[in-house]
Amino acid sequence: MTHHHDARPRVPADDVPHARTWMSWPSRRGVWGLRLGGVQDDIALIARTIAEFEPVVMCAPDDWTAGKARARCGSGVEVISSIPTDDLWMRDTAPVFRRDGSGGLDAVLLNFNGWGDKQVHYDDARVARLVAAHRGLRYVHADFVGEGGAIETDGDGTVMATESSLVNKNRNRGMSRDEVEEAVLDAYGADTMIWLPGIKGRDITDDHVDVTSRFVRPGVVMVQLPPPDRGDVWARDAREQFAILSTATDARGRRLQVVPVHGPDTVRSRSSKFVDSYLNFHLVNGGVVTTQFGDPHKDAAAKEALAAAFPGREVVQLDVDRLMAGGGGIHCSTMHEPLP
């Protein structure tokens, strides 16, 4: 389905200039247990790294925790305690910022419900509204339940998402795919939706697209492919995404160019939830913050591919294995606020 109204607010692509990146300090033992300290180390590293490129605002649930976060993140990161959070996944709990077409910003709230009520989210459900209010932005609620990590946009009329995440009764019970599509296009100010089937019920997100397939720029997507000897459900899903995107056309009638990035052959973690994604990167002003997994050849090739995809940006690769073992990555833990 194609819709055309151009005075609508539109979610820009990730690569536009940012005002800041929003993050959230993990502090709940009930969520992370004994892994909390290691995850805090990784979030602090990501925040300090991004702060070399652009401002970072870190939300902590209370003053005491904010003090701990400040000590770990250093003076380059602003830590606030006025927006309490349950967990660190700001991509999914923050508002999605839009350009209103007349030099301003507004925000659309995606009605976060704990990825289909899989996790406690009393505070996280309020984060989007509180961040928008903190910035003094007008906001609207989308007509669907979802998360920022579930939807990729090229900023030029095209979005992509997995059906498993959004056309799912744990989020949008009773809504058809067409109804969800219309609500997403309306929220994002987009015209064309590319659907990928995805996988339900195998991870907390029901297979967010931002781990496997990302827009580089209008007309170009990157997909991470698994080593050829892998035949598990995630490997098959990645190959399916690559195949679908290779025949897809976008809102402007462009046939998508699909750039493969090859996932690591070996990782250091033994966690079954480990996300071995190079493509869950976060774009920052002048940079790309992504991962390395200790696989020298694949790490180097991924760095080269991202440098070629985003010319003029410095590619920084971090070891954030503790975070990745929690089922998400750098993009999942950040939300960019574009300049108007």
Side-chain angles (χ1 to χ4, degrees):
M1 283 201 291
T2 299
H3 304 247
H4 290 289
H5 334 266
D6 272 322
R8 295 172 302 167
R10 172 171 278 186
V11 179
D14 290 21
D15 67 349
V16 300
H18 297 173
R20 62 191 52 78
T21 287
W22 290 85
M23 294 184 69
S24 167
W25 184 252
S27 63
R28 301 221 192 272
R29 288 251 172 240
V31 172
W32 289 101
L34 297 174
R35 296 181 303 160
L36 182 61
V39 171
Q40 289 174 334
D41 288 340
D42 284 359
I43 289 296
L45 174 62
I46 293 166
R48 288 195 307 269
T49 303
I50 295 170
E52 293 172 24
F53 295 89
E54 66 187 52
V56 177
V57 180
M58 179 78 69
C59 297
D62 54 63
D63 291 341
W64 185 81
T65 311
K68 308 277 279 189
R70 269 184 214 106
R72 302 279 281 280
C73 294
S75 58
V77 174
E78 182 188 352
V79 182
I80 61 173
S81 55
S82 53
I83 303 176
T85 56
D86 296 304
D87 206 349
L88 63 84
W89 307 112
M90 205 53 135
R91 182 65 47 179
D92 295 346
T93 59
V96 174
F97 296 95
R98 306 188 293 192
R99 288 177 166 171
D100 65 12
S102 51
L105 283 183
D106 79 351
V108 61
L109 315 189
L110 303 190
N111 311 300
F112 180 72
N113 76 340
W115 306 279
D117 292 313
K118 297 189 192 75
Q119 193 171 300
V120 172
H121 57 276
Y122 301 117
D123 283 334
D124 279 348
R126 297 161 55 220
V127 166
R129 183 171 52 81
L130 293 176
V131 168
H134 186 277
R135 298 294 301 129
L137 298 179
R138 203 174 64 83
Y139 60 85
V140 296
H141 285 269
D143 292 329
F144 69 99
V145 172
E147 306 86 29
I151 300 162
E152 272 284 299
T153 180
D154 72 349
D156 193 40
T158 308
V159 291
M160 62 178 171
T162 57
E163 290 184 47
S164 52
S165 248
L166 296 178
V167 190
N168 189 322
K169 64 181 187 294
N170 66 17
R171 291 173 178 82
N172 295 300
R173 181 182 294 278
M175 286 177 76
S176 68
R177 189 178 92 167
D178 283 352
E179 288 168 333
V180 173
E181 175 174 315
E182 192 170 345
V184 172
L185 292 176
D186 184 53
Y188 276 69
D191 308 303
T192 296
M193 185 94 185
I194 299 170
W195 285 108
L196 305 162
I199 301 165
K200 272 185 194 175
R202 296 293 286 263
D203 77 306
I204 197 169
T205 73
D206 297 295
D207 193 13
H208 273 179
V209 70
D210 70 339
V211 167
T212 309
S213 300
R214 301 285 300 277
F215 279 110
V216 171
R217 58 185 165 273
V220 184
V221 290
M222 251 183 182
V223 179
Q224 180 164 312
L225 288 172
D229 58 351
R230 266 185 55 193
D232 58 273
V233 61
W234 298 111
R236 294 199 302 273
D237 176 52
R239 292 183 191 114
E240 181 177 47
Q241 291 191 27
F242 187 90
I244 290 169
L245 292 169
S246 296
T247 64
T249 49
D250 69 11
R252 309 257 178 238
R254 286 175 289 236
R255 177 80 171 262
L256 292 182
Q257 177 194 340
V258 187
V259 179
V261 169
H262 296 281
D265 296 310
T266 57
V267 297
R268 292 170 290 240
S269 173
R270 286 191 291 276
S271 163
S272 61
K273 287 201 293 190
F274 191 79
V275 179
D276 65 349
S277 173
Y278 294 116
L279 291 197
N280 197 252
F281 57 81
H282 178 50
L283 292 180
V284 291
N285 295 337
V288 183
V289 184
T290 187
T291 43
Q292 53 93 344
F293 299 109
D295 178 334
H297 298 295
K298 293 290 173 67
D299 286 355
K303 182 172 190 174
E304 205 170 297
L306 287 169
F310 299 105
R313 289 176 189 260
E314 182 188 344
V315 181
V316 183
Q317 288 183 301
L318 305 177
D319 170 359
V320 285
D321 282 2
R322 278 69 39 197
L323 178 66
M324 307 302 276
I330 296 169
H331 188 255
C332 299
S333 65
T334 54
M335 178 58 89
H336 60 288
E337 178 188 329
L339 285 167

